[in-house]
Amino acid sequence: MSTMQRTEDGSARVAVVIGGSGGIGSAVARRLAAQGMAVAVHYAGRAEQAEKVVDGITAAGGTAVALPGDVAEPDRMTALFDAVEQRFGGVDVVVNTAGIMLLSPLAEMSLDDFDRMHRVNVRGTFVVSQLAARRLRAGGALVNFSTSVTRLQTPGYAAYAATKGAVESMTLILARELRGRDVTVNVVAPGPTATPLFLDGKSEELIGRLASAAPLERLGTPEDIAESVAFLAGPGGRWVNGQVLYANGGIA
């Protein structure tokens, strides 16, 4: 483990990673733990994967716990934040990687699918951001997740990009609303990243074309994205606030 990041009272900083059982979320949880943070690994329906993330962190000498909850339900998320504060004494970093992506031309997408994405991506981000705004200690950081598709206008992504556009708007406004709190609020917007969420349903030919679109000529990895989060959540990112960081290898 790297040098411990500590709060003013000398205790280890505490991070909550929403969606910590997923591809990017698990990489973020491991990376923040490597910075010396105690990490709460949130999961919705994948308890086994979350426990594997926790086991990996603890095996490397870190501190982590897996906690469940529906990201769109305030009572469940409040209970999660309460549990983290009771166990670790407070919350210093909140990273919300939870999201779903359902693709279809706008004219063909069902309202049920649109509402499913809105519930997780928009309502879920609102619930988590509201709790982060109320609970983060001075020197803290909130990092929400968008997508580089908001700049690419890719057919089939209209509904998904619309939910992430909402995430960007509410996050950047929240950064201004927290004036005087010594809390940074930013968005990471990944490009094509080799996660199950991204790869599901795509042909090898399509994946190859997407990989070659960036000047670096490859897909991003969860670890690439985790490095961006670690920067924003760590001491080097304290002067970055109210921004969207496009972590996409130059695709847009």
Side-chain angles (χ1 to χ4, degrees), residues 24 144-149 152 160 187-193 225 245-248 251:
I24 290 176
N144 283 327
F145 265 68
S146 179
T147 171
S148 291
V149 173
L152 296 173
Y160 175 68
V187 180
V188 170
T193 306
I225 310 306
L245 175 58
Y246 292 93
N248 57 30
I251 197 172

Side-chain angles (χ1 to χ4, degrees), residues 90-149:
V91 178
D92 301 288
V93 174
V94 175
V95 183
N96 184 16
T97 73
I100 60 175
M101 180 172 62
L102 305 173
L103 303 181
S104 169
L106 188 148
E108 300 171 15
M109 172 160 279
S110 72
L111 283 175
D112 285 344
D113 282 349
F114 180 81
D115 288 343
R116 282 179 59 200
M117 280 196 291
H118 191 279
R119 184 178 188 279
V120 176
N121 298 357
V122 181
R123 177 184 166 114
T125 298
F126 181 89
V127 169
V128 171
S129 297
Q130 189 174 66
L131 284 164
R134 295 170 176 173
R135 305 288 189 102
L136 281 168
R137 295 187 284 203
L142 167 63
V143 181
N144 283 327
F145 265 68
S146 179
T147 171
S148 291
V149 173

Side-chain angles (χ1 to χ4, degrees), residues 64-243:
V65 61
L67 295 170
D70 184 337
V71 71
E73 290 301 323
D75 290 347
R76 299 293 180 86
M77 288 295 98
T78 297
L80 183 147
F81 274 75
D82 287 345
V84 173
E85 289 182 343
Q86 290 167 11
R87 186 180 184 104
F88 298 119
V91 178
D92 301 288
V93 174
V94 175
V95 183
N96 184 16
T97 73
I100 60 175
M101 180 172 62
L102 305 173
L103 303 181
S104 169
L106 188 148
E108 300 171 15
M109 172 160 279
S110 72
L111 283 175
D112 285 344
D113 282 349
F114 180 81
D115 288 343
R116 282 179 59 200
M117 280 196 291
H118 191 279
R119 184 178 188 279
V120 176
N121 298 357
V122 181
R123 177 184 166 114
T125 298
F126 181 89
V127 169
V128 171
S129 297
Q130 189 174 66
L131 284 164
R134 295 170 176 173
R135 305 288 189 102
L136 281 168
R137 295 187 284 203
L142 167 63
V143 181
N144 283 327
F145 265 68
S146 179
T147 171
S148 291
V149 173
T150 57
R151 298 175 68 179
L152 296 173
Q153 294 84 50
T154 305
Y157 284 79
Y160 175 68
T163 67
K164 292 304 188 176
V167 167
E168 291 185 13
S169 293
M170 76 172 83
T171 305
L172 301 189
I173 290 171
L174 178 59
R176 278 72 185 176
E177 292 178 344
L178 295 186
R179 173 181 291 274
R181 282 278 307 279
D182 190 24
V183 170
T184 61
V185 182
N186 293 290
V187 180
V188 170
T193 306
T195 67
L197 176 69
F198 173 80
L199 297 173
D200 184 42
K202 292 183 175 68
S203 67
E204 289 296 324
E205 187 272 336
L206 176 58
I207 292 170
R209 282 197 288 112
L210 292 169
S212 65
L216 296 179
E217 295 189 329
R218 66 173 176 85
L219 294 177
T221 68
E223 289 72 25
D224 290 326
I225 310 306
E227 290 294 335
S228 297
V229 174
F231 165 69
L232 293 173
R238 293 307 301 166
W239 196 233
V240 181
N241 189 30
Q243 305 298 319

Side-chain angles (χ1 to χ4, degrees), residues 23-36:
I24 290 176
S26 61
V28 169
R30 290 190 294 268
R31 184 65 183 84
L32 296 183
Q35 289 186 218

